[in-house]
Amino acid sequence: MTERRDVIIIGGGHNGLTAAAYLAQAGLDVQVLERLDALGGAAVSAEAFAGVDARLSRYSYLVSLLPQRIIDDLGLRIALAPRRYSSYTPVPGGDGFSPGAGLLVDNHDPEATAASFASIGAAADAAAWGRFYEGTERLARALFPTVTDPLLTRDEARAAVGDAALWQSLIEQPVGVAIADAFEHDLVRGVVLTDALIGTFAPNVDDSLRANRCFLYHVIGGGTGDWNVPVGGMGTVSGELERAARLAGATLTTGAEVTALHGDRVVHWVDSAGVEHSTAAQHVLVNCSPHELARLLAAGDGAGASDDGFAAPPAEGAQVKVNLLLSRLPRLRDAALDPHAAFGGTFHINETFTQLQAAHDAAVAGRVPDPVPAEIYCHSLTDPSILGPELRASGAQTLTVFALHTPDRLLTESTNNAMRETLQRAVLDSLDSVLGEPIEPLLLLDGNGNPCVETKTTRDLEHALRLPGGSIFHGDLDWPWAEHDEPLDTPARRWGVDSGIDGVLLCGSGARRGGAVSGIAGHNAAMAVLESR
């Protein structure tokens, strides 16, 4: 017997929950089917270490792109805490400067920041830094308010920015060229470039402009480009979205494995008791990757398939994620700098412009980069609430390491376990190369006596979350506008959620304005459904 709903949402990540809340508020009969036993997808908090009272943001960890409009519309009770320090970057190996020299960017003290630029021989880049980020802020003010509206065209987006030189510099030419032109110092160039490489495997000068699209999403969030800490951990964000969806009347079903999707919008799924179901819907929203959608369609009636099968774009993640729980923050090589300042923002390690290109080249050649470029976030400094009272009192701190240029091509199913150890070792060695003491003696032990370190490879992300190739964006990001020759003749196309199949909409990171914890794709899919009624 086939059940019937107005809307079925495949996947209970934060975007699926966002869509469910909007559509249920509008009076539609909505059911979310989530394969896992808990909702939230990658935006969850978890006790990563057995017997340790710490709930870490296990996969995603910072918030920039969640619009205030969604927070207000859904009545989300969340707090996003700003970080005083933008970043700290030690000069690798000293580089001829004082031992432990590094660049500290203090959002509250421009004079101290300028002095820090001078201390690494980059005095001229202090003013260039201000000019460059004034430009990205203009992009943010012009473009971010449009992400929860129907798509602009490229010409409309260019007109909204209103600065032809800025548009040419950051949109039309490789962003690495713009960065090299704007800054002189190798370390400063590298710090800026990292925003183009988070989740994107690309050389410093990327003619495909994939790096530009990644960079754009990293600098427009909230109209400022700021990345904030979700108080209570990322699970609080998904938890509030779940609460909003439930209050609106959506049915949220966990342990529900979707096995097939037919082009007439019939979803086949198996519940946690092994009972098979068929549910027909007027609209099916897909909060999973285009690759997963292709698999489900192939298991159904093959709707949307071409001679080569359903056209899912290529996807490859390029990161390794390491969670650490330390007894205290490590000492720095610069004994005069308080570690609370250095770890208060993004701590960049071995990410000079030269090092980033060398790491990319090594990975292309099939080698793990040495050193591995990476960046560190210390959630517990800004928000100690994720630690239990005893851990807080002891001075314990969490570190999340996000390593770049470690693409999925370096792993296979058979080598994943060994490569996890290799990559973890490479990441810890990279940290040690810029710290004033080794990191491993500072690791706390879990309830089983094991060091509190958790490493997730691209294959681990694919296994746990079905991210294709471990890609945190489900593939390459798109520009947040439509090209001049793109048809915008249906609600799904106007809102950037078209799957190519009537009534089946993308509402996850694979949508036009997907990627990161934002709820934008979920909002836009919901708006397309409501517009089509």
Side-chain angles (χ1 to χ4, degrees):
M1 177 177 171
T2 299
E3 304 162 353
R4 297 195 176 275
R5 301 272 186 177
D6 292 330
V7 180
I8 287 288
I9 300 176
I10 301 174
H14 84 281
N15 271 307
L17 295 171
T18 300
Y22 273 105
L23 293 172
Q25 281 184 352
L28 275 66
D29 180 11
V30 181
Q31 183 173 26
V32 175
L33 301 175
E34 168 54 48
R35 173 178 60 92
L36 301 176
D37 293 331
L39 298 160
V44 293
S45 299
E47 184 182 279
F49 308 116
V52 178
D53 191 8
R55 290 188 60 78
L56 280 67
S57 297
R58 192 163 215 169
Y59 301 109
S60 52
Y61 34 86
L62 296 174
V63 176
S64 176
L65 292 161
L66 177 60
Q68 189 64 40
R69 175 185 294 186
I70 293 177
I71 294 173
D72 294 342
D73 285 350
L74 301 183
L76 305 181
R77 302 177 301 196
I78 60 175
L80 303 174
R83 300 178 296 169
R84 168 174 173 171
Y85 298 96
S86 174
S87 64
Y88 174 68
T89 312
V91 177
D95 200 22
F97 297 94
S98 60
L103 174 63
L104 180 66
V105 179
D106 185 343
N107 295 325
H108 292 185
D109 194 334
E111 291 184 0
T113 297
S116 187
F117 272 92
S119 74
I120 65 166
D125 281 342
W129 183 278
R131 290 191 299 271
F132 186 88
Y133 283 106
E134 192 279 330
T136 65
E137 288 174 8
R138 277 186 281 129
L139 278 178
R141 289 194 297 271
L143 295 176
F144 190 69
T146 74
V147 297
T148 50
D149 291 331
L151 285 167
L152 298 179
T153 65
R154 176 179 281 266
D155 288 345
E156 289 170 336
R158 184 189 297 112
V161 171
D163 185 328
L166 178 64
W167 183 273
Q168 175 64 30
S169 177
L170 295 181
I171 306 300
E172 300 290 351
Q173 70 171 356
V175 68
V177 173
I179 292 168
D181 288 346
F183 303 101
E184 298 177 2
H185 197 281
D186 193 48
L187 181 145
V188 178
R189 289 174 170 177
V191 171
V192 179
L193 183 64
T194 56
D195 275 337
L197 301 175
I198 300 293
T200 300
F201 186 57
N204 289 11
V205 177
D206 174 32
D207 292 330
S208 76
L209 303 186
R210 290 182 299 114
N212 289 59
R213 299 193 290 274
C214 181
F215 183 82
L216 183 64
Y217 280 92
H218 278 91
V219 299
I220 66 171
T224 63
D226 293 337
W227 286 81
N228 297 323
V229 175
V231 175
M234 195 60 76
T236 62
V237 177
S238 289
E240 276 298 290
L241 288 166
E242 176 184 346
R243 182 185 67 85
R246 289 192 190 279
L247 285 177
T251 300
L252 309 179
T253 307
T254 57
E257 176 79 40
V258 176
T259 57
L261 171 62
H262 289 256
D264 58 358
R265 300 178 300 284
V266 175
V267 178
H268 298 277
W269 57 283
V270 180
D271 66 24
S272 57
V275 177
E276 297 182 1
H277 299 259
S278 293
T279 306
Q282 292 181 332
H283 300 275
V284 175
L285 274 56
V286 181
N287 186 30
C288 56
S289 73
H291 280 257
E292 183 69 1
L293 172 58
R295 186 185 70 81
L296 295 175
L297 289 168
D301 58 6
S306 65
D307 292 341
D308 299 321
F310 186 80
E316 181 184 34
Q319 71 288 320
V320 61
K321 171 93 178 283
V322 183
N323 287 317
L324 307 168
L325 182 61
L326 308 180
S327 58
R328 58 172 172 80
L329 291 176
R331 292 191 298 271
L332 305 172
R333 291 188 175 184
D334 181 358
L337 180 62
D338 184 353
H340 288 74
F343 287 95
T346 300
F347 191 118
H348 295 274
I349 57 174
N350 293 311
E351 289 188 327
T352 69
F353 203 73
T354 299
Q355 286 176 313
L356 288 169
Q357 185 61 53
H360 175 270
D361 293 345
V364 167
R367 303 190 306 273
V368 175
D370 182 16
V372 170
E375 40 209 63
I376 308 169
Y377 310 89
C378 182
H379 186 124
S380 52
L381 272 181
T382 303
D383 170 32
S385 72
I386 65 169
L387 301 177
E390 291 185 9
L391 281 177
R392 288 200 299 272
S394 74
Q397 301 286 355
T398 64
L399 292 186
T400 292
V401 185
F402 191 97
L404 305 181
H405 288 336
T406 52
D408 188 62
R409 68 189 68 180
L410 297 179
L411 299 85
T412 66
E413 288 299 314
S414 62
T415 64
N416 185 47
N417 288 338
M419 281 299 295
R420 187 186 305 110
E421 295 297 322
T422 297
L423 290 167
Q424 178 175 298
R425 180 72 267 155
V427 167
L428 295 179
D429 287 346
S430 189
L431 266 67
D432 285 349
S433 74
V434 299
L435 297 177
E437 62 179 325
I439 196 81
E440 286 176 276
L442 302 179
L443 290 171
L444 291 174
L445 301 181
D446 68 14
N448 299 318
N450 298 313
C452 288
V453 53
E454 177 190 59
T455 299
K456 298 292 186 182
T457 69
T458 52
R459 292 300 166 106
D460 294 333
L461 295 180
E462 183 166 324
H463 297 158
L465 302 172
R466 293 195 178 164
L467 302 181
S471 172
I472 61 176
F473 303 137
H474 292 182
D476 295 336
L477 291 166
D478 291 307
W479 295 116
W481 53 74
E483 300 300 337
H484 72 277
D485 57 348
E486 284 188 69
L488 299 175
D489 54 342
T490 67
R493 289 171 175 169
R494 280 192 292 277
W495 286 95
V497 295
D498 183 42
S499 73
I501 302 171
D502 184 44
V504 177
L505 308 180
L506 297 171
C507 77
S509 286
R512 174 58 64 94
R513 291 169 287 190
V517 176
S518 70
I520 294 169
H523 168 277
N524 292 345
M527 295 304 105
V529 169
L530 296 177
E531 185 180 313
S532 68
R533 295 180 69 196

